[in-house]
Structure formats: C-alpha cells, structure tokens
Amino acid sequence: MDNEQQVAGADAAHRSTDRLIRIIGRFVGVGYGAYLLLLIPDIARTGSLAPGWWTPTAVIVVFGTGFAFAASTFHPSVGFIRVAGSIAALAFPIMALLWWVAWDGTTFDRAGTFLAAFPGLAALAAATVWQPIPAFAHMTTSVVIVQVTNQAVREPFPRSNVVADIVFAMMFCTVFVAATLAAVRTGRILDATISEAHNDAARAAATSAREVERERFDALIHDEVMSSLLAVARHGRTPSLARQARSALAHLDDLTTGTVSDSFSADEALAQLRSAATTVDESIEFTVHVDELEQPEEYPADVVRSVAAALAEALRNSRIHAQGSKRSVTAELASSMMLVTVQDDGIGFDRRSVPPHRLGVAVSIEGRMRQLVGGSADIESSAAGTTVRLGWKR
C-alpha cells in the first residue's frame, strides 16, 4: 500500500500533459484577444451589412468562449479545462454555419467575413483537448466553411480560386495544429514514462524489501531456531537452552508483530550484547570499554540487534567448530561507533573450505553487517584461533 501511495504521489507531481494544456490554453486566449483587437474594423464593417443579431452574437460566442478557455486553465480540474476547450473549439464552426441562416444575400467587399481570419485559432483549442483525428477534422471543417462563405459574400466582386484558398488556409493552420498535437503527445509520453519509472521503482523496492526480510528471516532461523534444535540433540534440555529457545521465540514474535524499539541507550545496547553472548555461553568473558571523554549517545535499534545477532552467531560457530577452551567478547562504545570483538583459541578454519550451503558466516555475520549503513565484519582465522570484529560507525 505504501508503494502504491508513493507512486500515486509521484504521478500527481509529474502531470506534464496537464501543464502543457494549461500553457497552450492561455496562449490560445492571448491569440483570441489579439485577433479581437485587430479585427475591430472588419467587425464594424460587416456588422452593418449582416443581420443585426449575428455579428454581436458571433463576437460574444466565439471570443467569449476563447477567453473562457484561457480562464479555465487556472481551475484545478483538467476535466473542466477540457470541457471549456471543447466549447471554444465548437463555437467557431457553429457560428460560421449560422451565418448562412442569418445571411440575407447582401454582398461585401473582397475582405469577406471576419471569421475567415482565424479558423486555425479555434483548431488550436481543439488540438489542445482532443485527439489528432477529431482536431484535424475540426480544422478542415472550419476552413471549408469560412472560405466558402467568403466566396459567397464577394459576389459580384472578383473572386479567387476557392480550392486554392482552402488548401492554403489548411496548410497554414496545419503547422500550428500539428505542433500543438505533438507537444501534447510529448507530454503524454513523458507522463507515461515517469509513471512507468515510478512503478518500476516501487516494484524494485518491494522486491528488495522482500529479499531483505527473507535474509533477516533466514538469519534468525539459522542463528536461533536451528541452533536451539541442534543444542537439544547434542546436550538435551538445559536451563541455558531454555533461555535460548525463549529468546528465539521472542525474536520471532518481534519479526511478525513489528513491536520493536527505534533506539537503545548505551546501557540498553550493552545489555542486548551481553544477553546475546550469555544466551550462547553463560561463562563467556565479556569486557566493556566505554570512551569516558565521549559519552555514547543512543544507538539505532537495528544496529544493536544486528550486531548482537552477529555476535551470537560468531560464538555459536566457535562453540561448535573451534574446539577451543577459551572464548571472550570485548565491546567498545563511543558516541559515533561500536566495535565488538569475539576471540577464541580454537583450531581456526579456512574460508575456502566452507561449503556454499553453510550460511553462518556468509549470511548471519558478514551479510547481516553488510546490510547496515556503516557496518562491517572482519574475520581472521589461523591455527592459533579466530578473531571476529563487528564494527559500526555512525
């Protein structure tokens, strides 16, 4: 659920298409304002020739919907903007067709109707909020209507070739409509790419989290559950084994319920380390060195638990394999570091001889410490004994 919420939040922050629609809508609104100023003389001229209701109605409807489209880009809902853009796009061809309903046969001069000056602007509104095919159909329809109207109102004045006028107007408008469609399509591709990237990141994070949890569970099973069962088989039921079993059950409960502390004080951290060591070996020699000049602060709980679990695993390996008679643990604490050293005087071992399926060193010690930011594990072994150093730096 958290990953889905993160992806949703990322998508909300990267709506490139929405931003482009708003920008283009405001540009179209500026275009409507510029054409209105430029066409005031033509509007006044044709207003006296056309029926009285059409010219003021066309000015209000066509330019009003264009301005409304620009104003709608400040609304938070993109759906609202698309509706306003569709209305602005449809207003132009509708008013151009209504000219034929209102026209009484009066002819103008060669300039024609004022709507013929900007059919491409309404097509830009369509291209901003519609798909390519409807947008080009709108542009073609608008251009044909206004050019045919121009041919009609110029009679009996000399007229140009209507087909050439339509082709020229369509070529001119196509450049801007195609550019608008390309920009909006680029925004959609960018949105899809960002969304897919965030989905991939969420899936990768979930996979990584499952792997980390699986490694943590594997280490816990190996460190405590399997070691407890092995101890039962070798030594029978003892008070030390009972404490180890109770510790394993408690850690399993923590793993499933998630009721864990976020940090430990220095004393609590030492208690965790000492408990981990004595659970494995009650007679362990445990030495503590605390920097008197630099009093330790609180330590992250995952650091303390990981170091304690790795410490316990190192002692178990020593008891099972080292055949040594003396083991010791030294814990050094400072405000920005923790170093735990496990030593024995056993027979040692060769890392190259450890079978791949043995997880004690690779997973429970080195792997566990490697997962910590600032964590490290160093193992030295010879015929004179083995030393395991578990370190962490803040």
Side-chain angles (χ1 to χ4, degrees):
M1 181 63 69
D2 290 341
N3 289 333
E4 292 176 358
Q5 291 173 349
Q6 291 174 0
V7 171
D11 289 342
H14 293 285
R15 294 185 194 149
S16 303
T17 306
D18 295 356
R19 288 196 294 270
L20 280 172
I21 289 175
R22 295 177 190 277
I23 292 171
I24 297 173
R26 292 164 193 172
F27 171 78
V28 170
V30 172
Y32 271 99
Y35 271 107
L36 177 60
L37 294 176
L38 292 174
L39 293 175
I40 287 177
D42 287 341
I43 294 172
R45 174 179 53 81
T46 57
S48 61
L49 301 174
W53 67 268
W54 183 87
T55 298
T57 302
V59 171
I60 294 172
V61 171
V62 173
F63 290 101
T65 55
F67 295 148
F69 177 38
S72 72
T73 60
F74 296 95
H75 194 278
S77 172
V78 177
F80 183 83
I81 299 173
R82 292 183 180 277
V83 171
S86 299
I87 294 174
L90 292 173
F92 185 93
I94 290 174
M95 292 309 303
L97 286 173
L98 287 177
W99 161 260
W100 291 90
V101 176
W103 188 41
D104 58 1
T106 303
T107 56
F108 300 167
D109 56 19
R110 293 177 58 90
T113 65
F114 69 90
L115 288 182
F118 59 102
L121 195 58
L124 286 185
T128 305
V129 297
W130 293 354
Q131 294 296 319
I133 293 178
F136 277 111
H138 173 280
M139 180 195 73
T140 302
T141 301
S142 298
V143 168
V144 169
I145 292 174
V146 296
Q147 292 301 327
V148 171
T149 301
N150 273 358
Q151 291 294 313
V153 300
R154 287 170 180 169
E155 181 73 27
F157 303 103
R159 294 180 294 178
S160 59
N161 189 306
V162 65
V163 176
D165 288 344
I166 292 174
V167 171
F168 176 80
M170 288 185 61
M171 290 178 60
F172 179 79
C173 296
T174 297
V175 174
F176 299 98
V177 171
T180 301
L181 290 170
V184 175
R185 182 175 182 273
T186 300
R188 293 194 186 102
I189 293 174
L190 182 58
D191 283 341
T193 302
I194 292 174
S195 178
E196 185 62 26
H198 283 288
N199 288 336
D200 290 342
R203 287 192 291 268
T207 301
S208 176
R210 287 193 297 269
E211 291 296 330
V212 170
E213 194 66 17
R214 187 179 295 113
E215 289 182 7
R216 181 184 174 194
F217 185 77
D218 289 345
L220 178 59
I221 293 297
H222 178 274
D223 293 354
E224 303 202 34
V225 178
M226 293 181 63
S227 63
S228 298
L229 295 175
L230 182 60
V232 169
R234 291 186 176 182
H235 306 292
R237 184 172 182 176
T238 65
S240 175
L241 177 58
R243 285 194 298 272
Q244 181 175 332
R246 284 193 294 270
S247 175
L249 291 174
H251 289 162
L252 284 172
D253 288 340
D254 289 343
L255 189 65
T256 56
T257 62
T259 55
V260 292
S261 302
D262 292 332
S263 63
F264 290 122
S265 66
D267 291 338
E268 291 172 334
L270 286 173
Q272 288 277 333
L273 297 175
R274 193 185 301 275
S275 174
T278 56
T279 298
V280 179
D281 188 349
E282 292 180 341
S283 60
I284 191 71
E285 179 184 339
F286 197 97
T287 306
V288 176
H289 295 292
V290 179
D291 192 336
E292 298 294 341
L293 299 178
E294 192 177 357
Q295 290 297 322
E297 302 173 356
E298 289 194 341
Y299 299 93
D302 59 340
V303 170
V304 176
R305 293 193 183 94
S306 295
V307 173
L311 160 63
E313 177 60 21
L315 286 174
R316 288 192 197 95
N317 283 344
S318 176
R319 291 193 64 182
I320 297 171
H321 304 292
Q323 302 177 14
S325 59
K326 183 179 180 181
R327 279 172 289 276
S328 65
V329 176
T330 302
E332 301 178 40
L333 299 182
S335 64
S336 60
M337 59 83 64
M338 176 186 298
L339 177 62
V340 176
T341 304
V342 182
Q343 291 181 301
D344 66 39
D345 58 357
I347 61 175
F349 69 99
D350 184 358
R351 289 291 304 275
R352 294 172 296 181
S353 65
V354 178
H357 66 276
R358 298 290 296 275
L359 304 178
V361 173
V363 173
S364 298
I365 298 178
E366 293 178 326
R368 178 176 272 129
M369 296 302 297
R370 189 168 52 246
Q371 290 178 6
L372 292 177
V373 177
S376 64
D378 180 53
I379 301 175
E380 297 178 2
S381 187
S382 67
T386 300
T387 300
V388 179
R389 296 183 181 87
L390 308 172
W392 172 77
K393 292 183 178 181
R394 194 180 300 277

